[in-house]
Amino acid sequence: MSELEGSGYRGKALELLKQAGCSVGDILRLTRKDKTYEGILIPRSGDGTAIIIKMQSGYNIGIEATDDLSVEKTGKGTKPTFASPPLPKQNPLLPHVVIMSTGGTIASRVDYRTGAVRSAMSANDLYGVVPELADISQVDTEIAFSIYSENLRQQDWSELANKVAQCIQKGIDGVVIAHGTDTMAYTSAALSFALQNLPVPVILVGAQRSSDRPSSDAATNLIGAVKAAGEAPFAEVGLAMHDTISDAAIAVYRGTKVRKCHTSRRDTFQSINDFPLAKVQNLQLTLPSNNYRKRDPKRQLVLKPNFSEKVALIKFYPGLDPAVIDFYVERGMRGILLEGSGLGHVSKFCFESIKRATAKGIVVAMASQCIWGRVNMNVYDTGRDLLGLGVVSLEDMFPETGLVKLMWALGQTEDPQQATDLLKTNIAGEYSTRTLPKEEKLYYRGEP
């Protein structure tokens, strides 16, 4: 069997590569007319007839395999590997921060077996490749997990909260958690509820581009996160990512008020019904207001890390079958988060199913599927009827945070009324006293 078998190439592309005696990892020169491209052959996935190479710039390019394409193997090539640089000397006068790795793009590199990005770097690697951290803080590293964020579950949030608590109890000045961006906002909300009465900041950080790409945001995000963890005057769970698509500033968002809003932009995270806690620019930390819990190393952390798995999210849409609600009731769910339309509505056809759910002691809460604004179920009779059925309004909490808080509340008590009381209590800034205007547009024409 050829070394190319299983690499994803077929048809004309496979024929040309075989004729040139190529294997994945070899250095190729691809020429068509007066254009030449050089790079490392990597596997391809999906349909298509292009030959994929990684150029010296770090970017991948696909060249269509046609009769006029010349393929030349110019070197055997070694598949890229990564070795951690030696750790810089630490300054004992600087703040002491723990970087905890869970996986994700910020801790990822290209896997030349598949051509995809995989989680490969430890927290120690992150420190080694960002030597600027030595000028900001003393850094210890710890690996909590090494998995993609979409694979994290409620028990992982609990374990992570316990690990963070253990670090804080050692007297460190702050914790940074390297995390995949896909579900980082869920984890930031979970830790906001699980880690109460924080004495120091806990900052989650991710990256939209893996660290071997020229456009990677991993280093700048990490520097901003460590700066905030070590020196910020607040003691809250935050999330640090690019403020704009440029490298100018890193925004630190409140953990219960932040959402991933774009699949690939570096400024994907935005505050929802709130403004950032802080910004880091040119290693200078600025705070727009004093609306935060102040840092106090003497404060005793209160750990409440339990989350219920018996919670479901139901997104309302025109024609939603109420049997979906009945299904979750029959499955033994203890809580249901309704993602309603507008001010917090679902159709009247769902009322009987909701009534049966609340009668069985299931906590049913309402958040809006609109991104900004707040639920107000007193405006229309639909909302008033839902309140009468026992549905809990989540005001300006958006669905992701509302879902996590419902899981957390039901993880603290078996009593539905006590869970409802917790759900209505402002624990970590998840409720705002008033809705703030969001005047600027998130995104304009085109991609970054």
Side-chain angles (χ1 to χ4, degrees), residues 193-235:
F193 300 125
L195 301 168
Q196 296 184 19
N197 208 41
L198 275 171
V200 297
V202 175
I203 310 295
L204 286 88
V205 64
Q208 288 286 81
R209 318 283 169 81
S210 59
S211 57
D212 60 342
R213 291 181 60 180
S215 62
S216 176
D217 52 339
T220 47
N221 288 343
L222 185 61
I223 290 169
V226 171
K227 181 74 173 179
E231 299 182 22
F234 58 79

Side-chain angles (χ1 to χ4, degrees), residues 141-349:
T141 60
E142 180 178 337
I143 299 176
F145 316 113
S146 187
I147 55 179
Y148 291 128
S149 68
E150 60 267 27
N151 295 325
L152 291 173
R153 297 171 294 175
Q154 290 89 337
Q155 56 263 44
D156 298 314
W157 294 340
S158 299
E159 184 177 346
L160 186 58
N162 278 293
K163 288 180 180 294
V164 172
Q166 290 168 13
C167 290
I168 291 174
Q169 288 161 3
K170 295 176 182 177
I172 51 84
D173 296 305
V175 177
V176 170
I177 301 171
H179 195 289
T181 59
D182 279 3
T183 66
M184 184 159 62
Y186 289 91
T187 301
S188 71
L191 294 179
S192 298
F193 300 125
L195 301 168
Q196 296 184 19
N197 208 41
L198 275 171
V200 297
V202 175
I203 310 295
L204 286 88
V205 64
Q208 288 286 81
R209 318 283 169 81
S210 59
S211 57
D212 60 342
R213 291 181 60 180
S215 62
S216 176
D217 52 339
T220 47
N221 288 343
L222 185 61
I223 290 169
V226 171
K227 181 74 173 179
E231 299 182 22
F234 58 79
E236 298 193 25
V237 175
L239 188 156
M241 289 287 287
H242 267 52
D243 183 40
T244 66
I245 60 173
S246 74
D247 289 329
I250 302 302
V252 183
Y253 304 99
R254 178 169 278 119
T256 55
K257 288 290 192 181
V258 61
R259 186 180 195 273
K260 186 174 183 179
C261 297
H262 196 283
T263 57
S264 59
R265 282 176 64 121
R266 300 197 295 176
D267 59 345
T268 175
F269 285 91
Q270 299 286 328
S271 285
I272 305 298
N273 296 322
D274 200 1
F275 294 101
L277 283 168
K279 290 188 181 181
V280 179
Q281 187 167 8
N282 297 324
L283 291 182
Q284 296 300 310
L285 186 73
T286 59
L287 288 84
S289 77
N290 60 359
N291 180 28
Y292 55 81
R293 177 182 285 270
K294 291 181 171 56
R295 178 195 288 265
D296 181 359
K298 297 180 181 178
R299 190 183 294 131
Q300 293 299 308
L301 173 70
V302 176
L303 180 63
K304 297 186 176 181
N306 297 329
F307 295 86
S308 172
E309 298 178 8
K310 294 292 186 178
V311 176
L313 170 65
I314 299 176
K315 184 181 181 74
F316 171 72
Y317 57 88
L320 172 67
D321 188 344
V324 174
I325 300 172
D326 298 330
F327 168 79
Y328 283 118
V329 172
E330 293 165 5
R331 288 289 301 270
M333 293 293 124
R334 297 178 55 216
I336 294 175
L337 191 286
L338 296 173
E339 190 176 326
S341 59
L343 292 169
H345 301 144
V346 298
S347 75
K348 62 181 181 180
F349 306 109

